[in-house]
Amino acid sequence: MSRASARRGRTPPRALFLCGEGHVYDPDEARWVPLGELVQDVHAGRRFTARQYGSGTDCTYRLLVRVLVAALGPRPAAPPDGGPWCPRHRSAPPGGRGDVPPADGGPAGYGRTR
């Protein structure tokens, strides 16, 4: 750790390996790291770097995307009520014309009078 980062209270980034099967390995702790643990680390502000096991290519952003997706949790394909903006929803939103967005780009029926 450099003196500058020590003064700021930062620890060096956690160095990880991403294996071909998508598993994450921490060589400093000699153990596999669950994705949920990385979610907690990112939430706490801990940094990490990731390298592809075998080739050594940097894959930090690819792993970060997986961590962020895991942090967001599963997303429904459509709003619970079917929502007016769902392409599969066939009824028109209030003041709108089905799947056709309003000309001004805003939600249909908002800020307009007839």
Side-chain angles (χ1 to χ4, degrees), residues 6-99:
R7 282 192 299 262
R8 290 190 300 263
R10 291 189 178 171
T11 58
R14 185 178 189 182
L16 303 169
F17 283 110
L18 184 62
C19 297
E21 305 85 33
H23 301 290
V24 181
Y25 186 76
D26 186 335
D28 293 333
E29 297 178 7
R31 67 181 183 90
W32 297 102
V33 180
L35 206 52
E37 183 178 323
L38 292 177
V39 169
Q40 293 172 353
D41 283 354
V42 168
H43 184 69
R46 187 174 183 188
R47 299 174 297 149
F48 68 84
T49 60
R51 298 258 174 218
Q52 186 68 42
Y53 182 77
S55 68
T57 58
D58 185 278
C59 59
T60 303
Y61 290 131
R62 186 168 28 146
L63 182 56
L64 180 59
V65 167
R66 287 184 53 204
V67 169
L68 294 174
V69 167
L72 293 173
R75 306 290 288 195
D81 64 350
W85 298 107
C86 175
R88 291 176 282 181
H89 190 75
R90 297 295 175 220
S91 66
R97 298 180 332 203
D99 294 338

